[in-house]
Amino acid sequence: MSGQSLLVPGELSPTRSVPGSIRRPEYVGKPAPTPYTGPEVQDSDTIERMRIAGRIAAQAMEEAAKHIAPGVTTDELDRVAHEFMCDHGAYPSTLGYRGFPKSLCASVNEVICHGIPDSTVLRDGDIVNLDVTAYIGGVHGDNNATYLCGDVDEESRLLVERTRESLNRAIKAVKPGRQINIVGRVIESYAKRFGYGVVRDFTGHGINSSFHSGLIVPHYDSPHHTTVIQPGMTFTIEPMLTLGTHEYDMWEDGWTVVTKDRRRTAQFEHTLVVTATGAEILTLP
């Protein structure tokens, strides 16, 4: 494993502005979103709008990822994604969600998820996850991926590659009539081959006009999550695999989640819609 020193919080830049012409999600300026009470199965119009949101989110993430290099700050990656989404008429969903201060999550090395972009400088050998969600047309599109920064050690490279593969396998397992826990069963069985931990307390989720609808998509084999998958359902799958334990600590900022043993972790995510025969990825650039 890489001998990189552990992360510490950096300094935050001022909140980035969003043009007034861009529609805000209802939770902006509030301590929490209004609980979603609508259906998990979406109509064709909603799904088409989610395709647009998902494509913008994927393109914004791709654009920010082009700037990943030693010496670049995570705040700079946030700036790139923020400006891309605004330029395309989308609101960065994370900005102001339950008080989150930035337009993407940047989670480096031992950070499992929800890392806040700041003055942290990327180093040669780091791995960094970018989690980008766009809101446009009244709906959200959510995706993330883990990228290599410079010359990354083999153990970390394999973790990243296999985490991506775990997502691909889970997507292929989505079929109408199956229970949602098939997703976690597939991911956990694959991760166990390599001795990886599978994070339990942070999950995939239903998504539509709501950022998090209430539907939970676990990434481990859970007998308790038995919702039957139906055509038209929209949700994310976003496995988080670790080189060690699945247990975690939370930084004082209330957002940044790090592995308890401080070993590295990787994550990948797509937003999906269930079709008659499987699943379509909505977050493709």
Side-chain angles (χ1 to χ4, degrees):
M1 180 183 168
S2 170
Q4 297 280 41
S5 58
L6 298 178
L7 291 172
V8 296
E11 294 184 9
L12 288 181
S13 64
T15 302
R16 303 188 198 283
S17 63
V18 177
S21 59
I22 292 177
R23 178 180 174 183
R24 271 76 169 151
E26 59 83 23
Y27 52 74
V28 173
K30 295 165 54 178
T34 302
Y36 178 71
T37 57
E40 297 296 345
V41 172
Q42 306 303 310
D43 60 29
S44 58
D45 175 66
T46 301
I47 292 167
E48 185 54 40
R49 285 182 282 125
M50 288 183 68
R51 281 195 185 94
I52 295 169
R55 183 164 59 247
I56 292 173
Q59 290 171 339
M61 184 175 73
E62 195 175 61
E63 193 63 30
K66 292 177 184 176
H67 293 75
I68 291 174
V72 174
T73 65
T74 54
D75 187 66
E76 173 64 8
L77 304 179
D78 181 80
R79 181 194 66 78
V80 172
H82 177 94
E83 292 182 359
F84 185 95
M85 284 185 273
C86 291
D87 288 347
H88 288 78
Y91 185 91
S93 300
T94 60
L95 185 61
Y97 179 78
R98 297 184 181 272
F100 192 83
K102 292 296 175 180
S103 299
L104 59 70
C105 300
S107 302
V108 181
N109 296 345
E110 70 268 20
V111 180
I112 295 172
C113 58
H114 304 158
I116 300 174
D118 58 18
S119 61
T120 296
V121 176
L122 295 177
R123 302 162 297 182
D124 185 59
D126 282 343
I127 59 173
V128 55
N129 177 274
L130 301 182
D131 192 338
V132 180
T133 310
Y135 177 80
I136 188 171
V139 296
H140 301 267
D142 185 4
N143 67 165
N144 77 56
T146 303
Y147 299 91
L148 310 180
C149 180
D151 185 16
V152 175
D153 67 274
E154 184 67 8
E155 185 178 42
S156 298
R157 283 175 176 272
L158 286 172
L159 174 68
V160 171
E161 180 182 309
R162 290 164 176 167
T163 305
R164 182 191 293 111
E165 176 62 16
S166 77
L167 172 60
N168 293 340
R169 289 174 180 238
I171 292 171
K172 290 177 182 175
V174 173
K175 306 283 184 187
R178 291 180 172 177
Q179 294 179 347
I180 201 75
N181 55 19
I182 187 66
V183 169
R185 190 171 307 130
V186 167
I187 291 168
E188 187 170 45
S189 65
Y190 179 71
K192 276 184 173 179
R193 293 190 200 175
F194 312 105
Y196 295 153
V198 181
V199 173
R200 291 170 166 248
D201 290 358
F202 301 91
T203 68
H205 52 89
I207 184 170
N208 36 66
S209 60
S210 172
F211 196 169
H212 299 84
S213 72
L215 174 68
I216 294 172
V217 183
H219 303 122
Y220 65 99
D221 189 357
S222 168
H224 307 295
H225 293 85
T226 56
T227 300
V228 175
I229 298 170
Q230 302 175 60
M233 289 177 71
T234 49
F235 54 83
T236 72
I237 301 177
E238 45 189 295
M240 292 151 263
L241 305 186
T242 71
L243 289 174
T245 182
H246 69 270
E247 296 180 347
Y248 66 91
D249 292 322
M250 181 88 71
W251 280 6
E252 289 184 3
D253 61 24
W255 284 105
T256 306
V257 180
V258 296
T259 53
K260 187 170 280 293
D261 58 11
R262 304 302 190 267
R263 298 196 72 192
R264 288 188 169 190
T265 175
Q267 182 185 17
F268 284 84
E269 173 187 23
H270 275 305
T271 295
L272 312 172
V273 60
V274 181
T275 67
T277 57
E280 176 194 345
I281 298 172
L282 298 178
T283 40
L284 292 175

